Amino acid sequence: MDETAYITLKDVRKAFGPKKVLNGINLTVPKGRSLVVIGGSGTGKSVMIKTILGIVRPDSGSIAIGGEEVTRLKGKDRDQFLQRFGMLFQGAALFDSLPVWENVAFGLIQGRNMGRKQARDIAMEKLRQVGLGPEVGELHPAELSGGMQKRVGLARAIAADPEIIFFDEPTTGLDPIMADVINNLIVDSVKRLGATTISITHDMASARKIADRIAMIHKGEIIWQGTARAVDTSGNPYVDQFIHGRAEGPIQMEILKA
Amino acid sequence: MNFLANLGRVVLALLTEIGSIVLFIKDALVQGLTPTIYGRQIFDQILKVGYNSLPVVGLTAFFTGGALALQIYLGGSRFNAESLVSTIVALGITRELGPVLAGLMVAGRVGASIAAELGTMRVTEQIDALTTLATNPFKYLVGPRILAGVITLPILVGIADIIGIMGGYIVGTRSLGFNSYAYIKSTSDFLQVDDVVSGLIKAAVFGFIITLMGCYHGFHSKGGAQGVGRATTNAVVSSAILILAANFVLTSLLFSE
Ligand SMILES: Nc1ncnc2c1ncn2[C@@H]1O[C@H](COP(=O)(O)OP(=O)(O)OP(=O)(O)O)[C@@H](O)[C@H]1O
Ligand SMILES: [Mg+2]
């Protein structure tokens, strides 16, 4: 598979008021590959993928997908651009006014004008893939457990077989067995559909399973990136501390100093 | 100096707010009210804004019509003008009290619920999720609500007019001793189409104000449950004030001849 960059972030910066969150992110993902982003809480992982989608507007820098600059897309062009994406939000972000199956089918019905019946069949199939039966389809999101909501969010993200998928902590809040089912599903989306994915996770088991490449973000900068295998021999003290989950190390030091 | 600095800050904040409302109106009109049209959403909102407000608006109109009849009768008797009751009730309700009271009641009911709903959707990232599903939130959420407000408020006020006049009629004939036929005749003799139409125009403007403020404050809410609560309050207070201000402006425009 060709390894030229498909998603490219160059020197992307974003501050909320005085608070600098992204301090010049440089990142590339080849087409059909799976990138996993790791990093401590509050380091800007979620903000970073939101800038790619245009939900958060970066202050400066360039974001290109397939060579096309996307930060200034508007109106119809933007809708068309977003049709190529699927996104699982960290908090699932399900529409609580709609039943579960309509949540999953939303992009098909509203975005692609598919008939409700056909969209519903697809939604039920996607729900099955994330381990939820058809009876769940009729419930409302508020009636589900946190882990179930996450899986519905995942089903919604992959429902339209998008070309690019972002998963914000897909396995957080799931039991280890269900987490592995979800890992397999993500691997499968990349292999079978040829999707390009960026996943954010704190779960190293999941990262090792789904990643082609891993990038570590710290204080709004990518401080290391490499192949999934190289993560164990990175020689980077931040990465080592993170993957081994040690309280001592450069990251903790900064917390103590502050 | 300190005073000036504070004053400057308040003025700046106010101007920023006005600017952001103007931008929101532009997006609401340009994006929200142009195709794609979400028929199902519009229908849902018409039910929510209009149909569900009927009891509140109807009761308000009925009691106001009744009270108005009593007041005019008592006040009018001081200079032997009791006979004006039916006319003044009809004019007062159609031109002024119908639209204003219905507007205020709907602002409390619908404006608050729009702000709370969209505010919750904002803080739980549902609005962002809409965007990522290639659905423009202005088209899917804002447009249908504003449209529903502009369409249903005149209808509500039309109904309120009838119920309010009926309230006056019931009080007039049951407890003030008016002759039923004479009461209806003087109402229909003096009430003009313009009176009713001016009230309905006001109602459409109020419908726009209420739904716009609900959507605006909901869209811009941040910071969890507290933020949503603040958005709700702001939506109701700002639409109430804007309704009263717009009522004054519209009254002077509509009756300026
Ligand atoms: N809309 C916003 N307004 C202001 N600050 C924000 C906003 N969104 C995020 N932030 C700030 O940006 C920083 C990074 O947030 P982000 O959600 O990207 O963290 P994260 O790396 O995803 O963390 P976690 O692993 O806990 O999800 C946080 O300190 C947060 O307070
Ligand atoms: Mg996050």
Side-chain angles (χ1 to χ4, degrees), chain B residues 13-124:
Chain B
L14 192 69
L15 289 178
T16 313
E17 183 82 9
I18 291 174
S20 106
I21 292 178
V22 169
L23 283 180
F24 190 85
I25 294 178
K26 191 205 91 190
D27 285 341
L29 297 181
V30 174
Q31 298 181 44
L33 297 179
T34 51
T36 319
I37 301 290
Y38 292 99
R40 190 188 262 276
Q41 293 301 108
I42 296 172
F43 180 75
D44 274 3
Q45 291 306 321
I46 286 180
L47 278 192
K48 268 194 194 160
V49 177
Y51 186 71
N52 295 348
S53 300
L54 265 178
V56 181
V57 170
L59 283 174
T60 312
F62 182 80
F63 290 122
T64 308
L68 199 58
L70 281 177
Q71 292 283 18
I72 296 163
Y73 184 78
L74 294 175
S77 66
R78 290 178 196 164
F79 35 92
N80 299 322
E82 301 97 322
S83 60
L84 287 176
V85 167
S86 65
T87 317
I88 297 185
V89 166
L91 290 188
I93 293 281
T94 54
R95 285 181 169 207
E96 196 68 28
L97 291 171
V100 171
L101 290 178
L104 293 176
M105 296 311 283
V106 174
R109 222 189 70 82
V110 174
S113 91
I114 291 178
E117 187 184 4
L118 298 197
T120 307
M121 290 186 75
R122 167 60 76 200
V123 300
T124 56

Side-chain angles (χ1 to χ4, degrees), chain A residues 8-258:
Chain A
T8 312
L9 279 71
K10 271 202 200 107
D11 198 32
V12 173
R13 291 170 190 276
K14 176 71 193 175
F16 293 103
K19 188 181 172 87
K20 288 188 183 141
V21 177
L22 302 181
N23 293 314
I25 296 271
N26 291 294
L27 194 65
T28 60
V29 193
K31 194 173 176 71
R33 287 303 155 109
S34 162
L35 173 79
V36 166
V37 178
I38 58 174
S41 195
T43 47
K45 302 183 296 295
S46 298
V47 171
M48 183 187 85
I49 53 176
K50 285 182 195 165
T51 60
I52 303 176
L53 291 165
I55 297 171
V56 170
R57 202 169 283 270
D59 298 332
S60 65
S62 121
I63 299 171
I65 298 201
E68 185 194 0
E69 179 67 32
V70 299
T71 40
R72 281 181 292 276
L73 286 181
K74 275 206 179 114
K76 278 234 158 51
D77 292 339
R78 180 147 188 257
D79 284 349
Q80 247 157 31
F81 162 74
L82 286 166
Q83 296 235 337
R84 295 155 60 193
F85 279 91
M87 163 87 184
L88 165 65
F89 284 83
Q90 189 167 356
L94 301 178
F95 306 126
D96 39 32
S97 60
L98 299 176
V100 164
W101 79 264
E102 271 199 76
N103 265 279
V104 178
F106 194 92
L108 300 170
I109 297 174
Q110 309 296 354
R112 279 151 222 254
N113 299 318
M114 187 185 282
R116 288 172 70 79
K117 191 157 170 0
Q118 191 191 353
R120 187 191 156 97
D121 291 343
I122 296 178
M124 290 303 188
E125 167 58 20
K126 298 291 173 183
L127 284 172
R128 194 192 57 74
Q129 288 179 17
V130 296
L132 297 169
E135 69 286 353
V136 175
E138 305 297 338
L139 300 177
H140 273 74
E143 298 168 276
L144 305 182
S145 76
M148 289 163 92
Q149 292 183 0
K150 197 89 200 208
R151 286 185 277 156
V152 174
L154 194 87
R156 184 174 70 181
I158 61 172
D161 293 337
E163 175 195 336
I164 304 164
I165 320 176
F166 296 158
F167 301 103
D168 198 342
E169 308 201 4
T171 57
T172 307
L174 303 183
D175 66 78
I177 301 168
M178 189 48 73
D180 204 49
V181 171
I182 297 305
N183 288 336
N184 287 334
L185 188 71
I186 293 175
V187 171
D188 194 53
S189 306
V190 177
K191 293 250 164 66
R192 203 168 43 82
L193 305 174
T196 308
T197 64
I198 299 181
S199 315
I200 293 171
T201 189
H202 299 288
D203 169 1
M204 283 314 293
S206 169
R208 286 174 212 281
K209 183 139 190 183
I210 63 185
D212 294 316
R213 294 180 65 79
I214 293 181
M216 172 140 178
I217 186 170
H218 183 62
K219 291 194 165 173
E221 276 180 78
I222 303 290
I223 54 163
W224 182 85
Q225 54 181 316
T227 61
R229 234 173 281 135
V231 78
D232 292 309
T233 54
S234 67
N236 183 311
Y238 290 86
V239 175
D240 279 342
Q241 186 191 350
F242 191 87
I243 64 175
H244 295 117
R246 284 195 291 257
E248 298 81 29
I251 301 176
Q252 176 70 33
M253 292 294 285
E254 278 151 10
I255 296 167
L256 285 178
K257 263 189 275 168

Side-chain angles (χ1 to χ4, degrees), chain B residues 81-171:
Chain B
E82 301 97 322
S83 60
L84 287 176
V85 167
S86 65
T87 317
I88 297 185
V89 166
L91 290 188
I93 293 281
T94 54
R95 285 181 169 207
E96 196 68 28
L97 291 171
V100 171
L101 290 178
L104 293 176
M105 296 311 283
V106 174
R109 222 189 70 82
V110 174
S113 91
I114 291 178
E117 187 184 4
L118 298 197
T120 307
M121 290 186 75
R122 167 60 76 200
V123 300
T124 56
E125 300 189 313
Q126 291 178 53
I127 293 182
D128 293 337
L130 268 184
T131 313
T132 66
L133 293 163
T135 303
N136 184 330
F138 277 96
K139 290 192 196 304
Y140 188 76
L141 298 173
V142 178
R145 283 169 173 74
I146 290 185
L147 215 54
V150 175
I151 293 171
T152 55
L153 255 240
I155 299 174
L156 276 176
V157 167
I159 296 170
D161 286 351
I162 295 169
I163 296 178
I165 291 175
M166 229 165 63
Y169 166 81
I170 288 174
V171 170

